Amino acid sequence: AAGVIQSPRHLIKEKRETATLKCYPISRHDTVYWYQQGPGQDPQFLISFYEKMQSDKGSIPDRFSAQQFSDYHSELNMSSLELGDSALYFCASSETSFPDTQYFGPGTRLTVL
Amino acid sequence: DAKTTQPNSMESNEEEPVHLPCNHSTISGTDYIHWYRQLPSQGPEYVIHGLTSNVNNRMASLAIAEDRKSSTLILHRATLRDAAVYYCILRESQMNRDDKIIFGKGTRLHILP
Protein backbone atom coordinates (compact mmCIF):
# COMPACT_ATOMS: atom_id res chain seq x y z
CA ALA A 1 0.00 0.00 0.00
CA ALA A 2 1.16 3.50 -0.74
CA GLY A 3 2.58 5.43 2.19
CA VAL A 4 2.29 9.08 3.07
CA ILE A 5 3.38 11.26 0.19
CA GLN A 6 4.95 14.66 0.66
CA SER A 7 5.82 17.20 -1.97
CA PRO A 8 8.11 18.72 -2.79
CA ARG A 9 10.93 16.69 -1.27
CA HIS A 10 13.31 19.63 -1.36
CA LEU A 11 12.59 23.34 -1.44
CA ILE A 12 14.91 26.31 -1.48
CA LYS A 13 13.53 29.75 -0.71
CA GLU A 14 14.85 33.21 0.05
CA LYS A 15 14.11 35.08 3.27
CA ARG A 16 10.68 36.70 3.36
CA GLU A 17 9.35 34.43 0.62
CA THR A 18 6.43 32.03 1.02
CA ALA A 19 6.35 28.25 0.74
CA THR A 20 3.63 25.62 0.51
CA LEU A 21 4.23 22.04 1.56
CA LYS A 22 1.79 19.31 0.61
CA CYS A 23 0.91 16.05 2.29
CA TYR A 24 -1.16 13.17 0.94
CA PRO A 25 -2.16 10.75 3.72
CA ILE A 26 -2.58 7.02 3.47
CA SER A 27 -5.96 6.02 2.03
CA ARG A 28 -8.74 6.02 4.68
CA HIS A 29 -6.59 7.89 7.19
CA ASP A 30 -8.59 10.86 8.45
CA THR A 31 -6.01 12.54 10.70
CA VAL A 32 -2.96 14.44 9.56
CA TYR A 33 -0.11 15.75 11.71
CA TRP A 34 2.71 18.15 10.83
CA TYR A 35 6.10 18.07 12.56
CA GLN A 36 9.20 20.23 12.21
CA GLN A 37 12.70 18.86 12.75
CA GLY A 38 15.53 21.36 12.92
CA PRO A 39 19.16 20.32 12.33
CA GLY A 40 20.29 17.95 15.06
CA GLN A 41 16.96 18.20 16.85
CA ASP A 42 14.05 15.89 17.52
CA PRO A 43 10.75 16.30 15.64
CA GLN A 44 8.45 18.91 17.16
CA PHE A 45 4.69 18.88 16.69
CA LEU A 46 3.23 21.81 14.79
CA ILE A 47 -0.45 21.17 14.08
CA SER A 48 -2.96 18.42 13.37
CA PHE A 49 -6.27 17.99 11.57
CA TYR A 50 -9.08 15.50 11.96
CA GLU A 51 -11.85 15.33 9.38
CA LYS A 52 -10.74 18.64 7.89
CA MET A 53 -10.90 20.49 11.20
CA GLN A 54 -7.89 21.63 13.20
CA SER A 55 -7.68 19.29 16.17
CA ASP A 56 -4.52 20.40 17.98
CA LYS A 57 -1.89 23.07 17.76
CA GLY A 58 1.69 23.02 18.94
CA SER A 59 4.57 25.41 18.54
CA ILE A 60 3.53 26.66 15.13
CA PRO A 61 4.50 30.26 14.34
CA ASP A 62 1.72 32.67 13.44
CA ARG A 63 3.40 33.03 10.03
CA PHE A 64 2.43 29.44 9.31
CA SER A 65 -1.04 28.16 8.52
CA ALA A 66 -2.38 24.83 7.45
CA GLN A 67 -5.54 23.17 6.33
CA GLN A 68 -6.93 19.79 5.40
CA PHE A 69 -9.01 19.49 2.26
CA SER A 70 -12.04 17.39 1.37
CA ASP A 71 -9.82 14.66 -0.10
CA TYR A 72 -7.91 14.63 3.24
CA HIS A 73 -4.69 15.97 1.82
CA SER A 74 -3.14 18.79 3.80
CA GLU A 75 -1.06 21.85 3.02
CA LEU A 76 1.27 23.79 5.26
CA ASN A 77 1.62 27.40 4.18
CA MET A 78 4.63 29.32 5.41
CA SER A 79 5.02 33.06 4.89
CA SER A 80 7.73 35.62 5.62
CA LEU A 81 10.26 32.83 5.77
CA GLU A 82 13.17 33.20 8.15
CA LEU A 83 16.55 31.49 8.20
CA GLY A 84 15.43 29.58 11.29
CA ASP A 85 12.62 27.94 9.35
CA SER A 86 15.19 25.79 7.55
CA ALA A 87 14.29 22.29 8.66
CA LEU A 88 12.77 18.97 7.72
CA TYR A 89 8.98 19.04 7.75
CA PHE A 90 7.26 15.73 8.25
CA CYS A 91 3.66 14.91 7.72
CA ALA A 92 2.10 11.88 9.39
CA SER A 93 -1.32 10.31 9.04
CA SER A 94 -3.35 7.95 11.16
CA GLU A 95 -6.74 6.36 11.54
CA THR A 96 -8.81 7.32 14.54
CA SER A 97 -9.02 3.78 15.88
CA PHE A 98 -6.57 3.00 18.69
CA PRO A 99 -3.59 2.71 18.75
CA ASP A 100 -3.74 5.35 15.99
CA THR A 101 -0.25 4.57 14.87
CA GLN A 102 1.18 7.49 12.99
CA TYR A 103 2.73 6.81 9.61
CA PHE A 104 5.26 9.40 8.57
CA GLY A 105 6.10 10.65 5.13
CA PRO A 106 9.67 11.07 3.87
CA GLY A 107 9.66 14.75 4.71
CA THR A 108 10.25 18.00 2.87
CA ARG A 109 13.64 19.61 3.39
CA LEU A 110 13.19 23.37 3.39
CA THR A 111 16.25 25.56 3.05
CA VAL A 112 15.86 29.30 3.54
CA LEU A 113 18.72 31.40 2.20
CA ASP B 1 2.66 14.50 29.99
CA ALA B 2 4.50 11.60 31.57
CA LYS B 3 8.17 11.68 30.67
CA THR B 4 10.58 9.04 29.53
CA THR B 5 14.33 8.79 30.06
CA GLN B 6 16.62 7.02 27.62
CA PRO B 7 20.40 6.81 27.23
CA ASN B 8 21.73 9.27 24.67
CA SER B 9 23.52 6.62 22.65
CA MET B 10 24.34 2.94 22.52
CA GLU B 11 26.56 0.72 20.46
CA SER B 12 26.10 -2.86 19.41
CA ASN B 13 27.77 -5.33 17.12
CA GLU B 14 26.04 -6.49 14.00
CA GLU B 15 24.04 -9.71 14.32
CA GLU B 16 23.93 -9.47 18.10
CA PRO B 17 20.86 -8.68 20.23
CA VAL B 18 20.32 -5.11 21.38
CA HIS B 19 18.46 -4.04 24.51
CA LEU B 20 17.33 -0.42 24.52
CA PRO B 21 16.13 0.71 27.96
CA CYS B 22 13.52 3.32 28.81
CA ASN B 23 12.52 4.64 32.21
CA HIS B 24 9.05 6.05 32.76
CA SER B 25 8.59 6.19 36.51
CA THR B 26 5.61 8.57 36.33
CA ILE B 27 3.62 6.45 33.89
CA SER B 28 -0.12 6.42 34.53
CA GLY B 29 -2.39 3.41 34.37
CA THR B 30 -3.84 4.54 31.04
CA ASP B 31 -0.52 5.11 29.27
CA TYR B 32 0.62 2.79 26.53
CA ILE B 33 4.34 2.50 25.82
CA HIS B 34 5.15 3.13 22.16
CA TRP B 35 8.46 2.94 20.35
CA TYR B 36 9.26 4.74 17.15
CA ARG B 37 12.57 4.95 15.36
CA GLN B 38 14.05 7.35 12.86
CA LEU B 39 16.57 6.06 10.36
CA PRO B 40 18.99 8.59 8.87
CA SER B 41 17.32 10.97 6.42
CA GLN B 42 13.91 9.35 6.89
CA GLY B 43 10.71 10.06 8.76
CA PRO B 44 10.05 8.33 12.05
CA GLU B 45 8.48 4.89 11.86
CA TYR B 46 6.43 2.89 14.32
CA VAL B 47 8.17 -0.08 15.91
CA ILE B 48 5.96 -1.54 18.63
CA HIS B 49 3.67 -0.70 21.54
CA GLY B 50 2.40 -2.36 24.69
CA LEU B 51 0.53 -1.81 27.95
CA THR B 52 1.47 -4.45 30.51
CA SER B 53 2.39 -7.69 28.82
CA ASN B 54 5.49 -8.29 26.74
CA VAL B 55 4.87 -7.89 23.03
CA ASN B 56 6.50 -9.31 19.93
CA ASN B 57 6.25 -8.36 16.29
CA ARG B 58 8.36 -8.86 13.21
CA MET B 59 10.55 -5.88 14.02
CA ALA B 60 11.22 -6.22 17.73
CA SER B 61 10.10 -7.30 21.18
CA LEU B 62 8.98 -5.08 24.02
CA ALA B 63 9.62 -6.16 27.57
CA ILE B 64 7.66 -4.21 30.20
CA ALA B 65 8.57 -4.28 33.88
CA GLU B 66 5.94 -5.57 36.26
CA ASP B 67 5.55 -2.12 37.88
CA ARG B 68 5.52 -0.55 34.38
CA LYS B 69 8.09 2.03 35.42
CA SER B 70 10.53 0.84 32.80
CA SER B 71 10.61 -1.06 29.55
CA THR B 72 13.15 -2.47 27.13
CA LEU B 73 13.01 -2.63 23.37
CA ILE B 74 14.78 -5.72 22.12
CA LEU B 75 16.18 -6.10 18.64
CA HIS B 76 16.98 -9.77 18.43
CA ARG B 77 19.63 -9.61 15.75
CA ALA B 78 20.79 -6.13 14.88
CA THR B 79 21.74 -5.29 11.33
CA LEU B 80 23.38 -2.17 9.95
CA ARG B 81 19.92 -1.06 8.84
CA ASP B 82 18.85 -0.84 12.47
CA ALA B 83 21.16 2.12 13.09
CA ALA B 84 18.71 4.86 14.03
CA VAL B 85 17.42 7.06 16.81
CA TYR B 86 14.94 5.10 18.93
CA TYR B 87 12.20 6.99 20.77
CA CYS B 88 10.26 5.65 23.74
CA ILE B 89 6.93 7.48 23.98
CA LEU B 90 3.97 7.29 26.35
CA ARG B 91 0.52 7.70 24.84
CA GLU B 92 -2.84 7.61 26.59
CA SER B 93 -5.08 4.70 25.84
CA GLN B 94 -8.25 6.75 25.52
CA MET B 95 -9.14 7.56 21.96
CA ASN B 96 -7.91 11.11 21.68
CA ARG B 97 -7.79 12.73 18.31
CA ASP B 98 -5.42 15.37 19.65
CA ASP B 99 -2.87 12.66 20.36
CA LYS B 100 0.23 14.20 18.89
CA ILE B 101 3.55 12.44 19.48
CA ILE B 102 5.90 14.26 21.81
CA PHE B 103 9.39 13.12 20.89
CA GLY B 104 12.00 13.15 23.64
CA LYS B 105 15.73 12.89 23.09
CA GLY B 106 15.76 9.21 22.12
CA THR B 107 18.69 6.81 21.96
CA ARG B 108 21.01 6.93 18.99
CA LEU B 109 21.91 3.32 18.22
CA HIS B 110 25.20 2.66 16.42
CA ILE B 111 25.73 -0.76 14.86
CA LEU B 112 29.31 -1.90 14.42
CA PRO B 113 30.03 -4.19 11.45
Side-chain angles (χ1 to χ4, degrees), chain A residues 5-108:
Chain A
I5 297 170
Q6 291 188 246
S7 67
R9 294 292 310 276
H10 302 272
L11 191 57
I12 299 175
K13 291 286 184 178
E14 300 277 344
K15 280 192 334 183
R16 291 180 289 277
E17 286 191 321
T18 61
T20 297
L21 279 55
K22 297 184 179 182
C23 169
Y24 298 86
I26 292 171
S27 177
R28 293 193 302 277
H29 283 194
D30 49 16
T31 305
V32 168
Y33 304 81
W34 286 96
Y35 294 84
Q36 178 192 57
Q37 186 172 27
Q41 298 181 4
D42 303 296
Q44 298 294 314
F45 170 74
L46 291 178
I47 196 167
S48 62
F49 292 86
Y50 166 69
E51 284 290 344
K52 293 153 278 184
M53 299 287 291
Q54 180 181 308
S55 54
D56 197 3
K57 196 172 182 180
S59 51
I60 183 170
D62 292 339
R63 300 176 289 106
F64 294 6
S65 65
Q67 61 183 122
Q68 186 179 31
F69 295 85
S70 58
D71 64 352
Y72 294 102
H73 94 272
S74 178
E75 294 183 5
L76 178 65
N77 299 295
M78 310 159 73
S79 63
S80 302
L81 287 169
E82 302 174 356
L83 296 179
D85 296 329
S86 295
L88 266 169
Y89 291 83
F90 291 107
C91 169
S93 72
S94 71
E95 296 178 282
T96 51
S97 57
F98 189 80
D100 65 311
T101 298
Q102 292 187 22
Y103 295 85
F104 285 77
T108 293

Side-chain angles (χ1 to χ4, degrees), chain A residues 31 33 35 37 41-45 48 50 55-56 90 95-102 104-106, chain B residues 32 34 36 38 41-46 49 85 87 91-93 95-101 103-105:
Chain A
T31 305
Y33 304 81
Y35 294 84
Q37 186 172 27
Q41 298 181 4
D42 303 296
Q44 298 294 314
F45 170 74
S48 62
Y50 166 69
S55 54
D56 197 3
F90 291 107
E95 296 178 282
T96 51
S97 57
F98 189 80
D100 65 311
T101 298
Q102 292 187 22
F104 285 77
Chain B
Y32 274 73
H34 289 244
Y36 280 72
Q38 186 173 22
S41 303
Q42 295 188 29
E45 66 174 342
Y46 166 81
H49 77 278
V85 178
Y87 295 97
R91 304 184 75 194
E92 290 186 3
S93 63
M95 196 49 248
N96 180 358
R97 297 189 181 92
D98 298 338
D99 204 7
K100 57 188 173 288
I101 292 176
F103 290 91
K105 288 301 177 186

